[in-house]
Amino acid sequence: MTLALDNVLLDDRPRQLAGWRRGGVEFLYFGFKEARACLFVGLFFAAMMLTPRAGLFGIPRYDLLLLVALAIQLWMVRSGLETMDELKAIGLFHAIGFALEAFKVSSAIQSWAYPDFAYTKVLGVPLFSGFMYAAIGSYIVQAWRLFDLRIRHHPPHWMAWTIAILIYLNFFTHHYIGDYRWYLAACALGLYSRTTVVFRPLDRDRKMPLLLAFVLIGFFIWMAENIGTFWGVWRYPNQLGAWSVVHVSKWSSWSLLVIMTFTIVANLKHIKQKIHVARA
């Protein structure tokens, strides 16, 4: 059924549309493709909201969420919605996310916490949490195919990798030597200032600055984080007494993390072919 829907969404035969009708139809297709690209995210967050805090059938909530995430991932691979190469990249996101989580919840840092018991907790981190980072990678992979994304004036890959690694390291080092996110953001601004993403909502190419895409994706991740903390899946220290909105500064953190995620996806063989690297 999902593959049949994909065939409809990927049908880019020319349409006889003009004016407001074209704008409306393209907007609808854009929305449908975005929703479809968020398949893993949507299913995972639905499970997060529907699973009682006490768990089900004697299985703790965090363990159930891990089983659900594994089942979704297996289904997506077996149904052909994701390739094995894409799965490897998503697995890397999981590992990167887990390492960051283990550091952030450690007794020395305590940036946030997972308050509930689980059998699948390692270093205080429930293993399902890595899938929240993998979900970002899954979204970018799916969006790349559904929108036939092409990148123009991408910076040299070694530069992109350098800023991505520095962004990731800053999530750790800012606890000891200061937070340099705004310096890194300025570097990313210069690096990607000419970069545009070409996408196809329906039958015609459209384009937007890649930096704008990073910021928009970061915003929606920040919104999802508010949902996750509202349902008590994890909590920041200021949310232990009563829930409050996640600080807006996290939006910038997520936008920077999207740059790192994008860099990994951009190095998949079939995706790298659609990236034009700037020469000057």
Side-chain angles (χ1 to χ4, degrees), residues 207-249:
K207 63 181 181 179
M208 67 184 294
L210 184 59
L211 284 169
L212 177 59
F214 292 152
V215 171
L216 290 175
I217 295 171
F219 172 76
F220 285 106
I221 296 172
W222 175 73
M223 292 290 289
E225 189 176 30
N226 276 283
I227 295 171
T229 55
F230 179 80
W231 287 93
V233 180
W234 70 95
R235 291 281 174 88
Y236 286 98
N238 65 311
Q239 296 175 324
L240 295 179
W243 181 82
S244 60
V245 174
V246 176
H247 197 279
V248 72
S249 65

Side-chain angles (χ1 to χ4, degrees), residues 7-253:
N7 290 333
V8 173
L9 295 176
L10 291 169
D11 181 4
D12 59 357
R13 290 175 297 177
R15 269 72 162 186
Q16 300 301 316
L17 297 169
W20 67 268
R21 289 187 61 201
R22 169 163 289 279
V25 173
E26 285 202 15
F27 181 78
L28 285 174
Y29 265 76
F30 180 85
F32 286 139
K33 287 187 177 184
E34 282 289 336
R36 166 60 188 83
C38 291
L39 180 63
F40 185 98
V41 179
L43 292 174
F44 187 61
F45 266 85
M48 199 179 288
M49 291 184 285
L50 293 174
T51 304
R53 184 167 186 174
L56 289 171
F57 313 113
I59 304 174
R61 172 168 63 164
Y62 294 160
D63 298 331
L64 276 174
L65 290 175
L66 175 61
L67 292 174
V68 169
L70 288 170
I72 297 170
Q73 192 68 79
L74 179 62
W75 168 68
M76 291 186 72
V77 173
R78 289 180 65 89
S79 62
L81 298 176
E82 286 178 354
T83 67
M84 288 304 298
D85 278 347
E86 292 166 349
L87 179 61
K88 291 174 185 176
I90 290 168
L92 178 59
F93 301 137
H94 192 290
I96 288 171
F98 176 81
L100 182 61
E101 290 280 332
F103 176 78
K104 291 291 190 178
V105 305
S106 65
S107 58
I109 304 300
Q110 296 183 338
S111 294
W112 57 79
Y114 292 90
D116 299 342
F117 168 80
Y119 294 105
T120 54
K121 262 188 176 181
V122 178
L123 301 176
V125 181
L127 293 181
F128 86 86
S129 66
F131 282 99
M132 293 188 289
Y133 297 84
I136 304 171
S138 177
Y139 163 76
I140 295 176
V141 165
Q142 295 294 319
W144 211 296
R145 181 173 64 87
L146 291 164
F147 286 100
D148 188 24
L149 298 186
R150 284 140 287 151
I151 307 299
R152 297 290 178 262
H153 300 294
H154 188 279
H157 289 289
W158 72 268
M159 291 185 180
W161 271 111
T162 299
I163 194 67
I165 291 170
L166 290 174
I167 286 170
Y168 184 64
L169 291 177
N170 186 67
F171 286 109
F172 297 86
T173 60
H174 82 84
H175 293 283
Y176 306 107
I177 61 172
D179 188 355
Y180 296 101
R181 82 176 70 179
W182 297 115
Y183 297 98
L184 293 170
C187 290
L189 180 63
L191 203 59
Y192 289 97
S193 60
R194 296 175 57 208
T195 308
T196 57
V197 53
V198 181
F199 61 100
R200 188 173 297 159
L202 183 58
D203 59 346
R204 294 182 182 178
D205 287 344
R206 306 296 180 187
K207 63 181 181 179
M208 67 184 294
L210 184 59
L211 284 169
L212 177 59
F214 292 152
V215 171
L216 290 175
I217 295 171
F219 172 76
F220 285 106
I221 296 172
W222 175 73
M223 292 290 289
E225 189 176 30
N226 276 283
I227 295 171
T229 55
F230 179 80
W231 287 93
V233 180
W234 70 95
R235 291 281 174 88
Y236 286 98
N238 65 311
Q239 296 175 324
L240 295 179
W243 181 82
S244 60
V245 174
V246 176
H247 197 279
V248 72
S249 65
K250 295 294 181 181
W251 179 1
S252 63
S253 298

